[in-house]
Coordinates of all heavy atoms in Angstrom, one line a residue:
M1 N 6.4 -7.5 30.1 CA 6.3 -7.1 28.7 C 7.7 -6.8 28.1 O 7.8 -7.0 26.9 CB 5.4 -5.8 28.6 CG 5.0 -5.5 27.3 SD 3.9 -6.9 26.6 CE 3.1 -6.0 25.4
E2 N 8.6 -6.5 28.9 CA 9.9 -6.2 28.3 C 10.5 -7.4 27.8 O 11.3 -7.4 26.8 CB 10.8 -5.6 29.5 CG 12.2 -5.3 29.0 CD 13.1 -4.8 30.3 OE1 12.5 -3.9 31.0 OE2 14.3 -5.0 30.2
L3 N 10.4 -8.6 28.4 CA 10.9 -9.8 27.9 C 10.2 -10.2 26.6 O 10.9 -10.7 25.7 CB 10.6 -11.0 29.0 CG 11.2 -12.3 28.6 CD1 12.7 -12.2 28.5 CD2 10.8 -13.4 29.6
A4 N 9.0 -9.9 26.4 CA 8.3 -10.2 25.1 C 8.9 -9.4 24.1 O 9.1 -9.8 23.0 CB 6.8 -10.0 25.3
D5 N 9.1 -8.1 24.4 CA 9.7 -7.2 23.4 C 11.1 -7.6 23.0 O 11.5 -7.5 21.9 CB 9.7 -5.7 23.9 CG 8.4 -5.1 24.1 OD1 7.4 -5.6 23.4 OD2 8.2 -4.1 24.8
R6 N 11.8 -8.0 24.0 CA 13.2 -8.4 23.7 C 13.2 -9.7 22.8 O 14.0 -9.8 21.9 CB 14.0 -8.8 25.0 CG 15.3 -9.1 24.8 CD 16.0 -9.3 26.1 NE 16.5 -7.9 26.6 CZ 17.1 -7.7 27.6 NH1 17.5 -8.7 28.4 NH2 17.4 -6.4 28.0
A7 N 12.3 -10.7 23.0 CA 12.2 -11.9 22.2 C 11.8 -11.6 20.8 O 12.3 -12.1 19.9 CB 11.2 -12.8 22.9
V8 N 10.8 -10.5 20.7 CA 10.4 -10.3 19.3 C 11.6 -9.6 18.6 O 11.9 -9.8 17.4 CB 9.2 -9.3 19.3 CG1 8.9 -8.7 18.0 CG2 8.0 -10.0 19.9
G9 N 12.3 -8.7 19.3 CA 13.5 -8.0 18.6 C 14.5 -9.1 18.3 O 15.1 -8.9 17.1
F10 N 14.8 -10.0 19.1 CA 15.8 -11.1 18.8 C 15.3 -11.9 17.6 O 16.1 -12.2 16.7 CB 15.9 -12.0 19.9 CG 16.9 -13.1 19.7 CD1 18.3 -12.9 19.7 CD2 16.4 -14.4 19.4 CE1 19.1 -14.0 19.3 CE2 17.2 -15.5 19.2 CZ 18.6 -15.3 19.1
L11 N 13.9 -12.2 17.5 CA 13.4 -13.0 16.3 C 13.5 -12.3 15.1 O 14.0 -12.7 14.0 CB 12.0 -13.4 16.6 CG 11.3 -14.3 15.7 CD1 12.0 -15.6 15.5 CD2 9.8 -14.4 16.0
L12 N 13.2 -10.9 15.2 CA 13.3 -10.0 13.9 C 14.8 -9.9 13.5 O 15.1 -10.0 12.3 CB 12.7 -8.7 14.2 CG 11.2 -8.7 14.3 CD1 10.7 -7.3 14.6 CD2 10.6 -9.1 12.9
T13 N 15.6 -9.8 14.5 CA 17.1 -9.6 14.1 C 17.6 -11.0 13.5 O 18.4 -10.9 12.4 CB 17.9 -9.3 15.4 OG1 17.4 -8.1 15.8 CG2 19.4 -9.2 15.0
F14 N 17.2 -12.1 14.1 CA 17.7 -13.4 13.6 C 17.2 -13.6 12.2 O 17.9 -14.1 11.3 CB 17.2 -14.5 14.6 CG 17.6 -15.9 14.1 CD1 19.0 -16.3 14.2 CD2 16.7 -16.7 13.5 CE1 19.3 -17.6 13.7 CE2 17.1 -17.9 13.1 CZ 18.4 -18.4 13.2
T15 N 15.8 -13.3 12.0 CA 15.3 -13.5 10.7 C 16.0 -12.6 9.6 O 16.2 -13.1 8.5 CB 13.8 -13.2 10.7 OG1 13.1 -14.0 11.7 CG2 13.1 -13.5 9.5
S16 N 16.2 -11.4 9.9 CA 16.8 -10.4 9.0 C 18.2 -10.9 8.6 O 18.6 -10.8 7.5 CB 16.9 -9.0 9.6 OG 15.6 -8.6 9.8
L17 N 19.0 -11.2 9.6 CA 20.4 -11.8 9.4 C 20.4 -13.1 8.6 O 21.2 -13.3 7.7 CB 21.1 -12.0 10.7 CG 21.6 -10.7 11.4 CD1 22.1 -11.0 12.7 CD2 22.6 -10.0 10.5
S18 N 19.4 -13.9 8.8 CA 19.3 -15.2 8.0 C 19.0 -14.9 6.5 O 19.6 -15.4 5.6 CB 18.2 -16.1 8.6 OG 18.5 -16.4 9.9
I19 N 18.0 -14.0 6.3 CA 17.6 -13.7 4.9 C 18.8 -13.0 4.3 O 19.1 -13.3 3.1 CB 16.4 -12.8 4.9 CG1 15.1 -13.5 5.3 CG2 16.2 -12.2 3.5 CD1 13.9 -12.7 5.5
F20 N 19.5 -12.1 5.0 CA 20.6 -11.3 4.4 C 21.8 -12.4 4.0 O 22.3 -12.3 2.9 CB 21.1 -10.4 5.4 CG 22.5 -9.6 4.9 CD1 22.3 -8.7 3.8 CD2 23.6 -9.9 5.4 CE1 23.4 -8.0 3.4 CE2 24.8 -9.3 5.0 CZ 24.7 -8.3 4.0
T21 N 22.0 -13.3 4.9 CA 23.1 -14.3 4.6 C 22.8 -15.1 3.5 O 23.5 -15.4 2.6 CB 23.4 -15.1 5.9 OG1 23.7 -14.2 7.0 CG2 24.4 -16.1 5.7
Y22 N 21.5 -15.6 3.4 CA 21.0 -16.5 2.3 C 21.2 -15.7 1.0 O 21.6 -16.3 0.0 CB 19.6 -16.9 2.6 CG 19.0 -17.8 1.5 CD1 19.2 -19.2 1.5 CD2 18.2 -17.3 0.5 CE1 18.6 -20.0 0.5 CE2 17.7 -18.1 -0.6 CZ 17.9 -19.4 -0.4 OH 17.3 -20.2 -1.5
Y23 N 20.6 -14.6 0.9 CA 20.7 -13.7 -0.3 C 22.0 -13.4 -0.7 O 22.3 -13.4 -1.9 CB 19.8 -12.6 -0.1 CG 19.5 -11.7 -1.4 CD1 18.6 -12.1 -2.3 CD2 20.3 -10.7 -1.7 CE1 18.4 -11.4 -3.5 CE2 20.2 -9.9 -2.9 CZ 19.2 -10.3 -3.8 OH 19.1 -9.7 -4.9
T24 N 22.9 -13.0 0.2 CA 24.2 -12.7 -0.2 C 25.0 -13.9 -0.7 O 25.7 -13.8 -1.7 CB 25.0 -12.2 1.1 OG1 24.3 -11.0 1.6 CG2 26.5 -11.8 0.7
F25 N 24.8 -15.1 -0.1 CA 25.4 -16.3 -0.6 C 24.9 -16.7 -2.0 O 25.6 -16.9 -2.9 CB 25.2 -17.4 0.3 CG 26.0 -18.7 0.0 CD1 27.3 -18.8 0.4 CD2 25.4 -19.7 -0.7 CE1 28.0 -20.0 0.1 CE2 26.1 -20.8 -1.0 CZ 27.4 -21.0 -0.7
W26 N 23.5 -16.4 -2.1 CA 22.9 -16.8 -3.4 C 23.4 -15.9 -4.6 O 23.6 -16.4 -5.7 CB 21.3 -16.6 -3.2 CG 20.5 -16.8 -4.3 CD1 20.7 -17.7 -5.4 CD2 19.1 -16.4 -4.6 NE1 19.6 -17.8 -6.2 CE2 18.7 -17.0 -5.7 CE3 18.4 -15.6 -3.8 CZ2 17.4 -16.7 -6.2 CZ3 17.1 -15.3 -4.3 CH2 16.7 -15.9 -5.5
V27 N 23.6 -14.6 -4.3 CA 23.9 -13.7 -5.4 C 25.4 -13.5 -5.6 O 25.8 -13.4 -6.7 CB 23.3 -12.3 -5.0 CG1 23.7 -11.2 -6.0 CG2 21.7 -12.4 -5.1
I28 N 26.1 -13.5 -4.5 CA 27.6 -13.2 -4.7 C 28.5 -14.4 -4.8 O 29.4 -14.5 -5.6 CB 28.1 -12.4 -3.5 CG1 27.3 -11.0 -3.5 CG2 29.5 -12.1 -3.5 CD1 27.6 -10.1 -2.4
I29 N 28.2 -15.5 -4.0 CA 29.2 -16.6 -4.0 C 28.6 -17.8 -4.9 O 29.5 -18.4 -5.6 CB 29.2 -17.2 -2.6 CG1 29.8 -16.2 -1.6 CG2 30.0 -18.5 -2.5 CD1 29.9 -16.4 -0.2
L30 N 27.4 -18.0 -5.0 CA 26.9 -19.1 -5.8 C 27.2 -19.0 -7.4 O 27.5 -20.2 -7.9 CB 25.3 -19.2 -5.7 CG 24.8 -20.6 -6.1 CD1 25.2 -21.7 -5.1 CD2 23.2 -20.5 -5.9
P31 N 27.3 -17.9 -8.0 CA 27.7 -17.9 -9.4 C 29.2 -18.5 -9.6 O 29.4 -18.9 -10.7 CB 27.7 -16.5 -9.8 CG 26.6 -15.9 -8.9 CD 26.8 -16.6 -7.5
F32 N 30.0 -18.6 -8.6 CA 31.3 -19.0 -8.8 C 31.5 -20.5 -8.4 O 32.5 -21.0 -8.5 CB 32.3 -18.2 -7.8 CG 32.4 -16.7 -8.2 CD1 31.8 -15.8 -7.4 CD2 32.9 -16.4 -9.5 CE1 31.8 -14.5 -7.8 CE2 33.0 -15.0 -9.8 CZ 32.5 -14.1 -9.0
V33 N 30.4 -21.1 -7.9 CA 30.4 -22.6 -7.6 C 29.9 -23.3 -8.9 O 29.1 -22.8 -9.6 CB 29.4 -22.9 -6.5 CG1 29.4 -24.3 -6.2 CG2 29.9 -22.1 -5.2
D34 N 30.5 -24.5 -9.2 CA 30.1 -25.3 -10.3 C 28.6 -25.6 -10.3 O 28.0 -25.8 -9.3 CB 30.8 -26.6 -10.3 CG 32.4 -26.4 -10.6 OD1 32.8 -25.4 -11.4 OD2 33.2 -27.3 -10.1
S35 N 28.0 -25.6 -11.5 CA 26.6 -25.7 -11.5 C 26.1 -27.1 -11.2 O 25.0 -27.4 -11.0 CB 26.0 -25.4 -13.0 OG 26.7 -26.2 -14.0
D36 N 26.9 -28.1 -11.3 CA 26.6 -29.5 -10.9 C 26.8 -29.8 -9.5 O 26.6 -30.9 -9.0 CB 27.3 -30.5 -11.7 CG 28.8 -30.4 -11.6 OD1 29.3 -29.4 -11.1 OD2 29.5 -31.3 -12.0
N37 N 27.2 -28.8 -8.7 CA 27.4 -29.0 -7.2 C 26.1 -29.1 -6.5 O 25.0 -28.5 -6.9 CB 28.2 -27.8 -6.6 CG 28.8 -28.1 -5.2 OD1 28.2 -28.8 -4.5 ND2 30.0 -27.5 -5.0
F38 N 26.1 -30.0 -5.4 CA 24.8 -30.2 -4.7 C 24.2 -28.9 -4.0 O 22.9 -28.8 -3.8 CB 25.0 -31.2 -3.7 CG 25.8 -30.7 -2.5 CD1 25.1 -30.2 -1.4 CD2 27.1 -30.7 -2.5 CE1 25.7 -29.7 -0.2 CE2 27.8 -30.2 -1.4 CZ 27.2 -29.8 -0.3
I39 N 25.0 -27.9 -3.8 CA 24.6 -26.7 -3.1 C 23.6 -25.9 -4.0 O 22.7 -25.2 -3.4 CB 25.8 -25.8 -2.8 CG1 25.4 -24.8 -1.6 CG2 26.4 -25.1 -3.9 CD1 25.2 -25.4 -0.3
H40 N 23.6 -26.1 -5.2 CA 22.6 -25.4 -6.1 C 21.1 -25.9 -5.9 O 20.2 -25.2 -6.3 CB 23.0 -25.6 -7.6 CG 24.1 -24.6 -8.0 ND1 23.8 -23.4 -8.5 CD2 25.5 -24.9 -8.2 CE1 24.9 -22.8 -8.8 NE2 25.9 -23.7 -8.5
N41 N 21.0 -27.1 -5.3 CA 19.6 -27.6 -5.0 C 19.0 -26.8 -4.0 O 17.8 -26.9 -3.9 CB 19.7 -29.1 -4.6 CG 20.3 -30.0 -5.7 OD1 20.1 -29.7 -6.9 ND2 20.8 -31.1 -5.2
Y42 N 19.6 -26.1 -3.2 CA 19.0 -25.3 -2.1 C 18.6 -23.9 -2.4 O 18.1 -23.1 -1.6 CB 20.0 -25.3 -0.9 CG 20.3 -26.6 -0.3 CD1 21.5 -27.2 -0.5 CD2 19.3 -27.2 0.3 CE1 21.9 -28.5 0.0 CE2 19.6 -28.5 0.9 CZ 20.9 -29.1 0.7 OH 21.1 -30.4 1.2
F43 N 18.8 -23.5 -3.7 CA 18.7 -22.1 -4.2 C 17.8 -22.0 -5.4 O 17.8 -23.0 -6.2 CB 20.0 -21.3 -4.4 CG 20.8 -21.2 -3.3 CD1 21.8 -22.1 -2.9 CD2 20.7 -20.1 -2.4 CE1 22.6 -22.0 -1.7 CE2 21.5 -19.9 -1.2 CZ 22.5 -20.8 -1.0
L44 N 17.0 -21.1 -5.5 CA 16.2 -20.8 -6.7 C 17.1 -20.4 -7.9 O 18.3 -20.1 -7.7 CB 15.2 -19.7 -6.5 CG 14.1 -20.1 -5.5 CD1 13.3 -18.8 -5.2 CD2 13.2 -21.1 -5.9
P45 N 16.6 -20.4 -9.1 CA 17.4 -20.0 -10.2 C 17.8 -18.4 -10.0 O 17.1 -17.7 -9.3 CB 16.6 -20.1 -11.4 CG 15.6 -21.1 -11.1 CD 15.4 -21.0 -9.6
Q46 N 18.9 -18.0 -10.7 CA 19.4 -16.7 -10.5 C 18.5 -15.6 -11.0 O 18.5 -14.5 -10.5 CB 20.7 -16.6 -11.3 CG 21.8 -17.3 -10.7 CD 22.3 -16.7 -9.5 OE1 22.4 -15.5 -9.3 NE2 22.8 -17.6 -8.5
E47 N 17.5 -15.9 -11.9 CA 16.5 -14.9 -12.4 C 15.8 -14.4 -11.1 O 15.3 -13.2 -11.1 CB 15.6 -15.4 -13.4 CG 16.3 -15.8 -14.7 CD 16.9 -17.2 -14.6 OE1 16.5 -18.0 -13.9 OE2 18.0 -17.4 -15.4
Y48 N 15.4 -15.2 -10.2 CA 14.6 -14.8 -9.0 C 15.4 -13.9 -8.1 O 14.7 -13.3 -7.2 CB 14.1 -16.1 -8.3 CG 13.1 -16.8 -9.1 CD1 13.5 -18.1 -9.7 CD2 11.8 -16.4 -9.3 CE1 12.5 -18.8 -10.4 CE2 10.9 -17.1 -10.0 CZ 11.3 -18.3 -10.6 OH 10.3 -19.0 -11.2
A49 N 16.7 -13.9 -8.2 CA 17.5 -13.0 -7.3 C 17.2 -11.6 -7.6 O 17.4 -10.7 -6.6 CB 19.0 -13.3 -7.6
I50 N 16.7 -11.2 -8.8 CA 16.3 -9.8 -9.1 C 14.8 -9.7 -8.9 O 14.3 -8.7 -8.4 CB 16.8 -9.4 -10.4 CG1 18.3 -9.5 -10.5 CG2 16.3 -8.0 -10.8 CD1 19.1 -8.5 -9.6
L51 N 14.1 -10.7 -9.4 CA 12.6 -10.7 -9.5 C 12.0 -10.5 -8.1 O 11.1 -9.7 -7.9 CB 12.1 -11.9 -10.2 CG 10.6 -11.9 -10.5 CD1 10.3 -10.8 -11.5 CD2 10.2 -13.2 -11.1
I52 N 12.4 -11.3 -7.2 CA 11.8 -11.3 -5.8 C 12.0 -9.9 -5.2 O 11.0 -9.3 -4.7 CB 12.3 -12.4 -5.0 CG1 11.8 -13.8 -5.5 CG2 11.9 -12.3 -3.5 CD1 12.4 -15.0 -4.8
P53 N 13.2 -9.3 -5.1 CA 13.3 -8.0 -4.5 C 12.5 -6.9 -5.2 O 12.0 -5.9 -4.6 CB 14.8 -7.7 -4.4 CG 15.5 -9.0 -4.5 CD 14.6 -9.9 -5.4
V54 N 12.5 -6.9 -6.5 CA 11.8 -6.0 -7.2 C 10.2 -6.0 -7.0 O 9.6 -5.0 -6.7 CB 12.1 -6.1 -8.8 CG1 11.1 -5.3 -9.6 CG2 13.5 -5.7 -9.1
C55 N 9.7 -7.3 -7.0 CA 8.3 -7.4 -6.6 C 8.0 -7.0 -5.2 O 7.0 -6.4 -4.9 CB 7.9 -8.9 -6.8 SG 7.8 -9.4 -8.5
A56 N 8.9 -7.3 -4.3 CA 8.6 -6.9 -2.8 C 8.7 -5.4 -2.8 O 8.0 -4.7 -2.0 CB 9.8 -7.5 -1.9
G57 N 9.6 -4.7 -3.6 CA 9.7 -3.4 -3.5 C 8.4 -2.6 -4.0 O 7.9 -1.6 -3.6
V58 N 7.9 -3.2 -5.1 CA 6.7 -2.6 -5.7 C 5.6 -2.8 -4.8 O 4.7 -1.9 -4.6 CB 6.5 -3.4 -7.1 CG1 5.0 -3.0 -7.5 CG2 7.4 -3.0 -8.1
V59 N 5.4 -4.0 -4.2 CA 4.3 -4.1 -3.2 C 4.5 -3.2 -2.0 O 3.5 -2.6 -1.6 CB 4.3 -5.6 -2.6 CG1 3.4 -5.7 -1.5 CG2 3.9 -6.5 -3.8
L60 N 5.7 -3.0 -1.5 CA 6.0 -2.1 -0.4 C 5.7 -0.7 -0.7 O 5.0 0.0 0.0 CB 7.3 -2.2 0.0 CG 7.8 -1.4 1.3 CD1 7.1 -1.8 2.5 CD2 9.3 -1.4 1.4
L61 N 6.1 -0.2 -1.9 CA 5.8 1.1 -2.4 C 4.3 1.3 -2.6 O 3.7 2.4 -2.3 CB 6.5 1.5 -3.6 CG 8.0 1.8 -3.5 CD1 8.8 2.0 -4.7 CD2 8.3 3.0 -2.6
S62 N 3.6 0.3 -3.2 CA 2.1 0.4 -3.4 C 1.4 0.5 -2.0 O 0.5 1.4 -1.8 CB 1.6 -0.8 -4.0 OG 2.2 -0.9 -5.3
L63 N 1.8 -0.3 -1.0 CA 1.1 -0.1 0.2 C 1.4 1.2 1.0 O 0.6 1.7 1.6 CB 1.6 -1.3 1.2 CG 1.1 -2.7 0.8 CD1 1.8 -3.7 1.7 CD2 -0.3 -2.9 0.8
L64 N 2.6 1.7 0.8 CA 3.0 3.0 1.3 C 2.2 4.0 0.7 O 1.7 4.9 1.4 CB 4.4 3.2 1.2 CG 5.1 4.6 1.8 CD1 5.0 4.5 3.3 CD2 6.5 4.7 1.3
C65 N 2.0 4.0 -0.6 CA 1.2 5.1 -1.3 C -0.3 4.9 -0.9 O -1.0 6.0 -0.7 CB 1.4 4.9 -2.9 SG 2.9 5.3 -3.5
I66 N -0.9 3.8 -0.7 CA -2.2 3.6 -0.2 C -2.3 4.1 1.2 O -3.3 4.9 1.5 CB -2.6 2.1 -0.2 CG1 -2.7 1.6 -1.7 CG2 -3.9 1.8 0.5 CD1 -2.9 0.1 -1.9
F67 N -1.4 3.9 2.1 CA -1.4 4.5 3.4 C -1.4 6.0 3.4 O -2.2 6.6 4.2 CB -0.3 3.9 4.1 CG -0.1 4.5 5.6 CD1 -1.0 4.1 6.5 CD2 0.9 5.3 5.8 CE1 -0.9 4.7 7.8 CE2 1.0 6.0 7.1 CZ 0.1 5.5 8.1
I68 N -0.5 6.5 2.6 CA -0.4 8.1 2.5 C -1.8 8.6 2.0 O -2.2 9.6 2.4 CB 0.8 8.5 1.7 CG1 2.1 8.1 2.5 CG2 0.8 9.9 1.4 CD1 3.4 8.3 1.7
G69 N -2.2 7.9 1.0 CA -3.6 8.4 0.5 C -4.7 8.4 1.5 O -5.4 9.3 1.6
F70 N -4.7 7.3 2.3 CA -5.8 7.2 3.4 C -5.6 8.3 4.4 O -6.5 9.0 4.9 CB -5.8 5.9 4.0 CG -6.5 4.8 3.3 CD1 -6.0 3.5 3.2 CD2 -7.8 5.2 2.9 CE1 -6.6 2.5 2.5 CE2 -8.4 4.1 2.2 CZ -7.9 2.9 1.9
V71 N -4.3 8.6 4.8 CA -4.0 9.7 5.7 C -4.4 11.0 5.1 O -5.0 11.9 5.9 CB -2.5 9.6 6.1 CG1 -2.1 10.8 6.9 CG2 -2.2 8.3 6.9
L72 N -4.2 11.3 3.9 CA -4.5 12.5 3.2 C -6.0 12.8 3.2 O -6.5 13.8 3.4 CB -3.8 12.6 1.9 CG -2.4 12.9 1.8 CD1 -1.8 12.8 0.4 CD2 -1.9 14.1 2.5
L73 N -6.7 11.6 2.9 CA -8.1 11.7 2.8 C -8.8 11.9 4.2 O -9.7 12.7 4.3 CB -8.7 10.4 2.3 CG -8.5 10.2 0.7 CD1 -9.1 8.8 0.4 CD2 -9.2 11.3 0.0
K74 N -8.2 11.3 5.2 CA -8.7 11.5 6.6 C -8.4 13.0 7.0 O -9.2 13.6 7.7 CB -8.1 10.5 7.5 CG -8.7 9.2 7.6 CD -8.3 8.3 8.7 CE -9.0 7.0 8.7 NZ -8.7 6.2 9.8
S75 N -7.3 13.5 6.7 CA -6.9 14.8 7.1 C -7.9 15.8 6.4 O -8.2 16.9 6.9 CB -5.4 15.2 6.9 OG -5.1 15.2 5.6
K76 N -8.2 15.6 5.1 CA -9.1 16.5 4.5 C -10.5 16.5 5.1 O -11.2 17.5 5.2 CB -9.2 16.1 2.9 CG -8.1 16.6 2.2 CD -8.4 16.4 0.7 CE -7.2 16.9 -0.1 NZ -7.5 16.7 -1.5
K77 N -11.0 15.3 5.5 CA -12.2 15.2 6.1 C -12.3 15.9 7.5 O -13.3 16.5 7.8 CB -12.7 13.7 6.3 CG -13.1 13.0 5.1 CD -13.4 11.5 5.3 CE -13.7 10.8 4.1 NZ -14.0 9.4 4.3
K78 N -11.3 15.9 8.2 CA -11.2 16.6 9.4 C -11.3 18.1 9.3 O -11.8 18.8 10.1 CB -10.0 16.2 10.3 CG -10.0 14.8 10.8 CD -8.8 14.5 11.7 CE -8.9 13.1 12.3 NZ -7.7 12.8 13.1
T79 N -10.6 18.6 8.3 CA -10.6 20.1 8.1 C -11.9 20.5 7.5 O -12.3 21.7 7.6 CB -9.4 20.5 7.2 OG1 -9.5 19.8 6.0 CG2 -8.1 20.2 7.8
A80 N -12.6 19.7 6.7 CA -13.9 20.1 6.1 C -15.1 20.1 7.1 O -15.2 19.8 8.1 CB -14.2 19.2 4.9

């Protein structure tokens, strides 16, 4: 089981670093590259650089609030 945990950890680390590198290049470096360069074909328009993280944050906060709500409801049922 230790090998499987290590593989999952490596996969999560690799995925996180890949996303971080892609997003950093997209947001920080790409605006300084000419717009007719071929590298722009590999990235979404700049508007999505803000829209995607904001939507992901809203979904994450919503799921967190739903989870906390379920936990509070369950704890009330146990005490009652």
Side-chain angles (χ1 to χ4, degrees):
M1 196 63 161
E2 182 179 321
L3 183 61
D5 291 341
R6 185 175 278 185
V8 169
F10 177 76
L11 183 65
L12 288 173
T13 303
F14 179 75
T15 304
S16 298
L17 286 174
S18 299
I19 291 171
F20 176 76
T21 304
Y22 179 87
Y23 187 78
T24 302
F25 189 82
W26 182 25
V27 173
I28 295 176
I29 297 172
L30 199 63
F32 298 108
V33 177
D34 292 333
S35 60
D36 59 345
N37 197 328
F38 74 95
I39 199 75
H40 281 275
N41 296 334
Y42 298 107
F43 296 92
L44 293 172
Q46 288 289 324
E47 295 83 26
Y48 291 107
I50 300 299
L51 187 64
I52 291 173
V54 167
C55 290
V58 167
V59 168
L60 182 68
L61 284 175
S62 299
L63 292 174
L64 183 64
C65 289
I66 290 170
F67 173 74
I68 290 172
F70 279 135
V71 169
L72 289 175
L73 287 174
K74 280 190 175 185
S75 67
K76 280 188 177 182
K77 285 181 183 178
K78 285 184 181 179
T79 59

